[in-house]
């Protein structure tokens, strides 16, 4: 191994290593008490939400390859929450719900809790996960409709299509498996299957 490769390998090994990450948003007075992601270094873990007055609902979660790359990019931009204690701006702004972000790794444990931040990297990371929450709730609703309310599937697909139109799907690749289940589902109206196929092809094309 030449000297350049040795130096590159040493630099890679010295990079901070993420072990655990979580993002939670509280919605005081809203339908949900909280909505959270709890992930390992590979972007795998659980998505959990609690409807006010009910038990938490938990579902397995894993980023797609592109989603994981984007997550890691945004976390690196914050230097692994290096300025966590400065995230809250302290400005008098509307209550948008407290966001709590925790990153644990070779640097130790860092936690940020804020309503609004003036730090751009913090806002971008928070916005990414808030949109991930919205996306996962759409997926959860679509899966419920597929099982219990098949006549409602087209309406839910229309909502997802509008979100795609607006660029508000942070990890669209995660939608492909449920769209494929809709395509192959028996007893489902052809219109819903056609919509699922069209949306799937659009998402795949956008990834190329």
């Amino acid at each position: 191994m030449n000297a350049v490769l040795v130096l590159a390998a040493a630099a890679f090994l010295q990079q901070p290593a993420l072990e655990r990450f979580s993002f939670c948003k509280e919605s005081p007075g809203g339908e949900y008490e909280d909505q959270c992601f709890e992930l390992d270094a590979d972007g795998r873990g659980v998505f959990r939400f609690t409807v006010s007055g009910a038990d938490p609902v938990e579902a397995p979660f894993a980023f797609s390859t592109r989603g994981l790359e984007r997550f890691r990019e945004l976390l690196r931009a914050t230097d692994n929450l290096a300025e966590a204690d400065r995230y809250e701006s302290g400005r008098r702004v509307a209550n948008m719900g407290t966001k709590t972000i925790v990153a644990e790794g070779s640097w130790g444990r860092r936690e940020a809790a804020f309503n609004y931040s003036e730090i751009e990297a913090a806002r971008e990371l928070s916005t990414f996960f808030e949109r991930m929450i919205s996306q996962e709730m759409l997926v959860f609703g679509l899966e419920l409709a597929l099982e219990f309310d098949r006549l409602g599937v087209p309406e839910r697909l229309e909502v997802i299509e509008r979100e795609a139109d607006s660029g508000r799907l942070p990890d669209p690749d995660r939608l492909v498996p449920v769209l494929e289940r809709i395509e192959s589902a028996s007893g489902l109206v052809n219109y819903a299957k056609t919509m699922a196929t069209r949306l799937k092809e659009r998402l795949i094309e956008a990834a190329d």
Side-chain angles (χ1 to χ4, degrees), residues 36 38 45-50 55-60 140:
C36 299
E38 297 177 357
V46 297
F47 171 62
R48 186 185 72 251
F49 63 91
T50 306
D55 293 332
V57 177
E58 192 172 285
F140 183 78

Side-chain angles (χ1 to χ4, degrees), residues 2-14:
N2 61 39
V4 174
L5 289 177
V6 170
L7 290 174
F12 176 79
L13 292 173
Q14 290 172 5

